[in-house]
Amino acid sequence: MSSLSDSWVWENPNTERQNNSQGGLVSLQSDSRFEDNLKHSTDEQENVKFPHYPSMIMTPVKMKRRIMRLERRKARAAELIQKDKETDNHIVSAAIESSEGLDTTIKGKYSIWRREYENPNSDSTLKLMRDQIIMAKAYTNIAKSKNKTVLYKALVQHSRDSQLAIGDANSDAELQIGALDRAKAMGHILSIAKDRLYDCNLVSRKLRATLQSTENRVNMQKKRSAFLIQLAAKTVPRPLHCLPLQLAADYYLQGYHKKGNVDLEKTEDPSLFHYAIFSDNVLAASVVVNSTVQNAKEPEKHVFHIVTDKLNFAAMKMWFLINPPSKATIEVQNVDDFKWLNSSYCSVLRQLESARIKEYYFKANHPSSLSAGSDNLKYRNPKYLSMLNHLRFYLPEVYPKLDRILFLDDDIVVQKDLSPLWSIDLKGMVNGAVETCKESFHRFDKYLNFSNPLISNNFSPDACGWAFGMNVFDLKEWKKRNITGIYHRWQDMNEDRTLWKLGTLPPGLITFYNLTYPLDRGWHVLGLGYDPALNLTEIENAAVVHYNGNYKPWLNLAVSKYRSYWSRYVMFDNPYLRVCNLSE
């Protein structure tokens, strides 16, 4: 009694000490009953007499201590259960890491798996079952080599059962009913296999071989995927092939080719807002024009200069003749009508006529199979051969009477009025563009070969890249600085493709080096053609969104959540689109 605190109150002070010890022993067995008693009100609890302490009453302090003791015991029990689970999870880890010859690659990969597995928010059951299948395959090979037929069949059967239980599941919630039982059964058979077959070095060799085989298959699938995406990106879907055919046929059959030209006075008026669009895609060009006009505050002041090739000229002209945008002016031109654009003047045309380039593009045995991956196919895309792609470097020659022009790619959508771009002071620069570099990404070393002294001696590898797609060009400053001549000089030096690979962005970065004025990022948001994780708020607030990449909005490859920004400007009720089965 002398060791008790003042919070303990005895009804009978003469009670013998032995009753206390007996009551204490019984109390260890009655905590569950005490927990139930806590459900009663405080007034009742103060008067309750417990059977194992017949001579004592419950006080608030005592009650609080009992509750604290129960909570400590529950916490300790939960901790022991968690440690028991962790012990089970580390069985495979201990087996692998005990191998002296195991390389750091396997250990590193397994440590990553272990961190994911121990994460309480991860899909632990699914991960466990997949790892069990991997271990089962390793033990299956060992059992077969040691003629353990019964164990071999059991491992094979359990692997099949686990695989069926997993199915196409990507999370625990998608697992089939009974998957946990399958995992337990697999754990039991793996335990038996471990007892009978386990050899640390042998198992580690099997796992290493499995890992190597899996990595080889993953790399092959990546190559195939990249190849097929490139193939799909350059393939014209049937509806898009149908549309220009229908338009071109009616252009001549219905006599539209005899109609007069547009208002030449407007097309040469430097006080208006002029746009340059170079495209062979009728539907894409229509979206660019429609989105720009619908968001313009003064559409009558906007003039669109569309240049296409001979194959699509009739279709492009027909479309804008029967679907003229409200109040805006449209001029459609054929690039083949630019007689000054010939191989004696244009470096790219001269190079395309060379035997070396023809061999690179059209050689019969040029590798283009699935096993070759995407590298060759990417740079054999027809857009790199199209003069429409390089016409952007000849803007003053195409539009000699204009002072400023806004260049737009055909895979963009305009969401705001762009007229303020004509009032931006470019500070003496030729090109106004949005920079694309973030930290170490999209800088010059990504596009140019800095192992070549011609590049390393003239440019900084850390210089910030920018994007074609929406560019403001000061044509007066262009002529003054002879930008086209700079482009020709570097294009000639890259005839053997050692300075950069094909495309227009690398020569653009070189040509406009230290001549580019950075625009606010809100004018131009890129990545809708390859990055599914863009910020939707930035997209919705952008003046122009750009589907640069392979996932163009008119293809089935398109990122579904971005398609609506483009499709809202498509005239799906147009009879030509209906005939060609173009729908949302």
Side-chain angles (χ1 to χ4, degrees):
M1 289 177 62
S2 61
S3 63
L4 294 176
S5 68
D6 295 336
S7 63
W8 294 87
V9 181
W10 292 90
E11 283 186 341
N12 185 3
N14 298 323
T15 305
E16 294 183 1
R17 191 180 300 267
Q18 61 180 3
N19 292 337
N20 297 338
S21 60
Q22 291 175 0
L25 291 173
V26 181
S27 68
L28 296 175
Q29 303 170 5
S30 61
D31 282 336
S32 61
R33 292 196 299 273
F34 170 74
E35 190 174 3
D36 293 336
N37 290 336
L38 292 178
K39 298 177 182 178
H40 299 292
S41 67
T42 305
D43 294 337
E44 292 176 344
Q45 287 173 335
E46 290 178 350
N47 298 321
V48 169
K49 296 183 180 180
F50 292 90
H52 54 280
Y53 282 132
S55 58
M56 299 172 62
I57 63 171
M58 178 64 68
T59 66
V61 177
K62 179 179 178 183
M63 184 191 306
K64 184 177 179 180
R65 291 184 175 179
R66 282 287 184 91
I67 294 172
M68 293 175 63
R69 185 163 61 249
L70 279 176
E71 290 176 350
R72 287 197 300 270
R73 289 181 179 177
K74 286 181 179 179
R76 178 58 177 164
E79 182 183 352
L80 292 174
I81 292 172
Q82 181 63 27
K83 285 185 177 180
D84 188 49
K85 288 182 179 180
E86 291 176 358
T87 301
D88 292 339
N89 297 341
H90 285 85
I91 291 176
V92 179
S93 174
I96 293 178
E97 293 179 354
S98 62
S99 174
E100 295 179 357
L102 193 59
D103 57 61
T104 56
T105 300
I106 297 180
K107 289 183 179 179
K109 290 180 179 294
Y110 192 80
S111 64
I112 293 173
W113 168 85
R114 188 170 59 195
R115 286 195 300 270
E116 291 178 351
Y117 186 80
E118 292 173 353
N119 182 0
N121 296 322
S122 66
D123 298 314
S124 56
T125 303
L126 179 61
K127 292 178 182 293
L128 173 63
M129 294 183 71
R130 286 174 174 169
D131 292 327
Q132 284 179 334
I133 292 173
I134 294 173
M135 290 301 300
K137 288 180 179 179
Y139 281 125
T140 298
N141 292 331
I142 298 173
K144 188 175 182 179
S145 64
K146 293 187 175 183
N147 294 322
K148 303 291 185 180
T149 307
V150 176
L151 187 55
Y152 168 79
K153 291 181 178 179
L155 288 166
V156 170
Q157 185 61 46
H158 280 79
S159 296
R160 290 174 181 171
D161 293 343
S162 294
Q163 196 63 57
L164 288 173
I166 293 174
D168 297 327
N170 293 313
S171 64
D172 285 357
E174 298 175 4
L175 290 172
Q176 297 182 12
I177 298 174
L180 189 57
D181 294 334
R182 301 279 189 192
K184 291 178 180 178
M186 175 66 92
H188 179 68
I189 194 67
L190 286 176
S191 177
I192 295 175
K194 177 179 178 295
D195 292 338
R196 297 184 182 180
L197 304 174
Y198 186 73
D199 181 299
C200 189
N201 292 329
L202 184 58
V203 171
S204 67
R205 286 197 299 271
K206 293 292 183 183
L207 289 175
R208 190 184 296 114
T210 301
L211 178 62
Q212 185 64 43
S213 174
T214 302
E215 286 184 343
N216 291 339
R217 288 199 300 271
V218 168
N219 290 333
M220 179 60 68
Q221 290 299 328
K222 284 182 178 179
K223 287 185 177 181
R224 290 179 176 177
S225 175
F227 179 91
L228 293 174
I229 287 174
Q230 292 289 343
L231 186 63
K234 75 171 190 174
T235 302
V236 180
R238 181 176 295 180
L240 288 184
H241 185 65
C242 163
L243 181 62
L245 292 178
Q246 294 286 340
L247 290 167
D250 288 350
Y251 178 74
Y252 292 104
L253 291 175
Q254 298 180 17
Y256 281 92
H257 62 291
K258 298 177 182 178
K259 295 195 174 183
N261 293 324
V262 297
D263 186 353
L264 291 178
E265 185 177 348
K266 276 193 170 183
T267 61
E268 297 178 350
D269 186 352
S271 66
L272 301 178
F273 306 128
H274 293 266
Y275 301 85
I277 304 170
F278 305 147
S279 173
D280 57 1
N281 187 326
V282 176
L283 187 62
S286 73
V287 169
V288 176
V289 173
N290 290 344
S291 62
T292 305
V293 172
Q294 288 183 32
N295 290 286
K297 293 180 179 179
E298 298 176 294
E300 67 277 3
K301 293 185 178 181
H302 295 256
V303 181
F304 296 88
H305 304 269
I306 300 175
V307 181
T308 188
D309 55 18
K310 180 167 59 176
L311 186 64
N312 293 281
F313 174 73
M316 191 75 75
K317 192 145 190 175
M318 178 65 175
W319 175 268
F320 288 105
L321 283 172
I322 62 176
N323 302 293
S326 175
K327 301 180 181 179
T329 303
I330 303 290
E331 179 188 31
V332 179
Q333 295 175 282
N334 182 357
V335 68
D336 293 323
D337 292 338
F338 300 151
K339 301 305 180 184
W340 51 267
L341 197 63
N342 51 57
S343 59
S344 62
Y345 175 63
C346 177
S347 301
V348 172
L349 286 176
R350 183 168 58 253
Q351 291 171 10
L352 291 177
E353 292 177 357
S354 69
R356 182 186 300 177
I357 294 294
K358 288 180 179 178
E359 182 182 16
Y360 177 78
Y361 277 106
F362 305 112
K363 189 176 179 181
N365 62 352
H366 191 87
S368 60
S369 63
L370 288 175
S371 61
S374 64
D375 292 342
N376 295 306
L377 187 65
K378 177 179 179 180
Y379 295 104
R380 295 175 72 194
N381 193 312
K383 74 176 183 179
Y384 295 116
L385 295 174
S386 173
M387 196 57 220
L388 288 176
N389 203 38
H390 293 267
L391 194 61
R392 64 192 68 187
F393 294 103
Y394 300 92
L395 289 173
E397 286 89 339
V398 181
Y399 311 109
K401 296 186 178 181
L402 300 181
D403 297 332
R404 180 174 286 204
I405 197 165
L406 184 63
F407 171 78
L408 297 177
D409 269 343
D410 64 359
D411 55 353
I412 64 101
V413 174
V414 177
Q415 302 184 129
K416 292 183 179 180
D417 180 35
L418 299 182
S419 56
L421 286 170
W422 273 262
S423 60
I424 291 179
D425 183 5
L426 297 182
K427 309 293 185 183
M429 301 297 181
V430 180
N431 172 30
V434 170
E435 293 182 333
T436 56
C437 56
K438 296 178 180 179
E439 297 177 355
S440 62
F441 300 105
H442 295 285
R443 298 190 181 272
F444 271 42
D445 58 354
K446 174 180 172 62
Y447 305 100
L448 305 177
N449 179 18
F450 276 87
S451 64
N452 191 305
L454 283 173
I455 297 295
S456 58
N457 293 337
N458 290 280
F459 307 100
S460 168
D462 296 324
C464 189
W466 46 268
F468 273 127
M470 191 214 71
N471 306 79
V472 183
F473 290 111
D474 186 334
L475 300 185
K476 280 187 175 181
E477 199 68 28
W478 184 306
K479 297 172 188 175
K480 180 180 177 181
R481 295 178 180 271
N482 189 24
I483 295 299
T484 303
I486 297 174
Y487 164 71
H488 281 162
R489 182 166 63 89
W490 282 100
Q491 196 70 48
D492 289 338
M493 288 190 288
N494 191 49
E495 185 172 0
D496 57 358
R497 301 183 308 281
T498 58
L499 304 183
W500 69 84
K501 293 185 178 180
L502 298 179
T504 55
L505 182 55
L509 296 175
I510 288 177
T511 302
F512 297 102
Y513 185 63
N514 289 333
L515 295 173
T516 298
Y517 177 80
L519 299 176
D520 185 270
R521 292 185 184 274
W523 282 110
H524 188 189
V525 170
L526 299 104
L528 279 75
Y530 69 89
D531 187 356
L534 294 176
N535 188 311
L536 295 181
T537 302
E538 290 184 3
I539 294 175
E540 291 166 0
N541 293 333
V544 171
V545 293
H546 195 171
Y547 292 83
N548 57 311
N550 288 322
Y551 305 144
K552 301 299 183 187
W554 54 82
L555 299 176
N556 291 331
L557 293 172
V559 181
S560 57
K561 64 180 178 180
Y562 301 152
R563 191 190 294 268
S564 62
Y565 299 107
W566 182 83
S567 61
R568 68 182 61 164
Y569 296 105
V570 178
M571 303 166 60
F572 287 109
D573 58 345
N574 185 280
Y576 284 98
L577 268 60
R578 278 192 244 160
V579 168
C580 293
N581 295 321
L582 273 162
S583 58
E584 294 188 63

